[in-house]
Amino acid sequence: MSDTLAKPRAITTAGAIDTDVHPPLPRQADLLPYVDDYWKETFQSREIDVLELMSAPERTKPYRRPDWVGEGDALVAMQKNLLDPLELGHAILNVVSGAHALFDPYLAQVVCRATNDWLADTWLDRDSRLRASMLVPFQNVPAAVAEIERLASDKRFVQILTLAAGELPLGRQTYWPIFEAAEKHGLPIGIHAGSMLRHAPSHSGYHSFLIEDHIAMTQGFATQIASMIAEGVFAKYPDLKVVAIESGVSWIPPLMWRMSKDWRGTRIEVPWVKDSPAALIRRHVRVTSQPFDGPEDPAEVEKMLSHLLSDDMLLFSSDYPHWHYEGLDVLPHGVPDALLQKAMRSNALATYPRLGG
């Protein structure tokens, strides 16, 4: 968070596509209309209410701007704080829910389905600018595929959401039916910052402080992308896109360099990886712009981005209502205007084909 506001940019966000916006998590009362009597009794007897991830606590101060916190209709607040003043063309809603981390695969299936229906009725039906990522239970792959097929005809769902730190690396063939359905329906896989906490967040165990968890999350993103490359996901599903949401940007060039170098010497064990990991990352992976982790010097920011060797990878995001900037100073400092223009619209349209449908 900057103490001073930057000078106004020469470009505006009018018509932009915001690829990461967070509605408040649904409460028990929100989901009960979308479940049957058995699950209503289960929700009430077990007091299942706010399914908040420990790794992404919705109501903790560092995660929410105080001027964006209030009572009343959350959509009206979002319209007032974000959609209207930025004149957004579309905004993609991402519900980072405890449903991702439930051990019970059947409960996860029900919560994901109910959350999707709640999103459609309470948010998407009320503002034509809104789109959403669907929640599917990665703990229950057949049910995940069934949920994708159920929602496929609703083009307002433009992505499938999961977490950066899960139970297994995402490249494992266990998850391939999800990727097959995703590619079939033009749905990118959105990997969002967050953890199921099935494992320690670092290779050396658990941390003492929040800042350490934030830093270690880049390892989670890098692990998932490396897994999808090495296991052959992009060879099997050549049209699949992956969006690393709230990952930052600076970790990607080193991953490209290191994995491409090591692949040259070890590719005998992954013969299905025909192109360099760097080329596959440029072709299949996209990243959102907030929180932006570039250096303070604009010249260094431009140099860092140049190492991507692509102007197709960056997507505009506000990460509303998280606190990364003051006022409406949502555009990352130092990013060239031409790249921001692409990030705000054409890159998003190329990544999310259902936006144009």
Side-chain angles (χ1 to χ4, degrees), residues 243-320:
V243 182
I245 305 170
E246 295 185 35
S247 70
V249 180
S250 64
W251 59 278
I252 292 185
L255 176 63
M256 288 177 167
W257 301 332
R258 180 62 181 267
M259 194 170 184
S260 293
K261 177 184 182 298
D262 289 349
W263 166 76
R264 293 187 186 100
T266 60
R267 57 184 166 178
I268 190 172
E269 66 176 1
V270 286
W272 43 84
V273 182
K274 303 295 186 183
D275 298 322
S276 74
L280 291 173
I281 289 171
R282 292 187 190 102
R283 191 179 307 149
H284 294 278
V285 178
R286 303 294 179 259
V287 292
T288 59
S289 62
Q290 290 291 353
F292 191 72
D293 62 341
E296 293 186 7
D297 184 342
E300 292 298 319
V301 171
E302 191 165 356
K303 181 178 180 181
M304 177 193 76
L305 293 171
S306 73
H307 292 311
L308 296 173
L309 299 180
S310 172
D311 60 0
D312 298 328
M313 295 179 65
L314 188 65
L315 305 177
F316 166 72
S317 68
S318 66
D319 194 20
Y320 175 92

Side-chain angles (χ1 to χ4, degrees), residues 114-150:
T115 301
N116 292 332
D117 289 344
W118 167 80
L119 269 172
D121 288 350
T122 308
W123 292 84
L124 303 183
D125 283 353
R126 295 173 59 207
D127 194 313
S128 62
R129 294 169 291 187
L130 296 179
R131 299 294 184 266
S133 297
M134 64 176 73
L135 271 63
V136 304
F138 276 68
Q139 310 93 314
N140 184 342
V141 171
V145 173
E147 183 66 1
I148 294 168
E149 295 296 338
R150 184 180 78 92

Side-chain angles (χ1 to χ4, degrees), residues 24-354:
L25 288 170
R27 273 49 177 173
Q28 181 189 102
D30 298 316
L31 298 183
L32 285 181
Y34 303 105
V35 302
D36 64 24
D37 290 342
Y38 169 82
W39 288 108
K40 285 178 183 175
E41 183 178 352
T42 300
F43 277 42
Q44 292 167 335
S45 63
R46 292 174 58 178
E47 297 184 348
I48 297 170
D49 190 12
V50 185
L51 288 169
E52 190 173 46
L53 279 172
M54 289 181 63
S55 61
E58 175 182 80
R59 293 164 291 179
T60 301
K61 281 188 176 180
Y63 289 86
R64 299 191 72 184
R65 269 178 51 167
D67 57 326
W68 284 346
V69 176
E71 302 297 328
D73 190 320
L75 174 55
V76 172
M78 184 184 290
Q79 291 166 335
K80 174 186 174 183
N81 296 327
L82 180 77
L83 300 174
D84 294 342
L86 291 184
E87 301 180 77
L88 296 178
H90 289 300
I92 299 174
L93 303 177
N94 292 318
V95 179
V96 183
S97 165
H100 296 291
L102 290 169
F103 283 92
D104 181 339
Y106 306 106
L107 179 59
Q109 176 185 1
V110 169
V111 173
C112 286
R113 182 183 178 115
T115 301
N116 292 332
D117 289 344
W118 167 80
L119 269 172
D121 288 350
T122 308
W123 292 84
L124 303 183
D125 283 353
R126 295 173 59 207
D127 194 313
S128 62
R129 294 169 291 187
L130 296 179
R131 299 294 184 266
S133 297
M134 64 176 73
L135 271 63
V136 304
F138 276 68
Q139 310 93 314
N140 184 342
V141 171
V145 173
E147 183 66 1
I148 294 168
E149 295 296 338
R150 184 180 78 92
L151 294 174
S153 62
D154 188 343
K155 294 298 181 67
R156 298 174 303 176
F157 287 95
V158 299
Q159 182 169 246
I160 298 166
L161 198 65
T162 189
L163 298 179
E167 197 155 14
L168 292 171
L170 281 175
R172 295 291 181 87
Q173 291 194 24
T174 300
Y175 301 122
W176 284 22
I178 296 175
F179 303 146
E180 181 177 0
E183 183 187 53
K184 171 184 173 184
H185 294 294
L187 291 159
I189 303 297
I191 305 176
H192 196 286
S195 175
M196 293 182 184
L197 290 178
R198 297 292 195 267
H199 316 285
S202 84
H203 294 102
S204 299
Y206 287 89
H207 304 125
S208 300
F209 306 105
L210 181 64
I211 187 174
E212 296 174 273
D213 275 351
H214 281 193
I215 297 302
M217 195 57 62
T218 59
Q219 300 170 24
F221 282 104
T223 296
Q224 301 293 23
I225 299 304
S227 172
M228 296 180 84
I229 292 171
E231 297 273 3
V233 171
F234 299 131
K236 180 70 172 177
Y237 307 108
D239 294 327
L240 188 68
K241 290 288 192 297
V242 171
V243 182
I245 305 170
E246 295 185 35
S247 70
V249 180
S250 64
W251 59 278
I252 292 185
L255 176 63
M256 288 177 167
W257 301 332
R258 180 62 181 267
M259 194 170 184
S260 293
K261 177 184 182 298
D262 289 349
W263 166 76
R264 293 187 186 100
T266 60
R267 57 184 166 178
I268 190 172
E269 66 176 1
V270 286
W272 43 84
V273 182
K274 303 295 186 183
D275 298 322
S276 74
L280 291 173
I281 289 171
R282 292 187 190 102
R283 191 179 307 149
H284 294 278
V285 178
R286 303 294 179 259
V287 292
T288 59
S289 62
Q290 290 291 353
F292 191 72
D293 62 341
E296 293 186 7
D297 184 342
E300 292 298 319
V301 171
E302 191 165 356
K303 181 178 180 181
M304 177 193 76
L305 293 171
S306 73
H307 292 311
L308 296 173
L309 299 180
S310 172
D311 60 0
D312 298 328
M313 295 179 65
L314 188 65
L315 305 177
F316 166 72
S317 68
S318 66
D319 194 20
Y320 175 92
H322 297 167
W323 198 358
H324 304 303
Y325 45 86
E326 304 291 348
L328 298 176
D329 189 24
V330 65
L331 300 177
H333 301 164
V335 179
D337 285 357
L339 178 54
L340 282 175
Q341 290 282 19
K342 285 203 68 177
M344 286 193 288
R345 188 158 177 84
S346 61
N347 285 356
L349 289 173
T351 302
Y352 299 101
R354 292 162 70 95

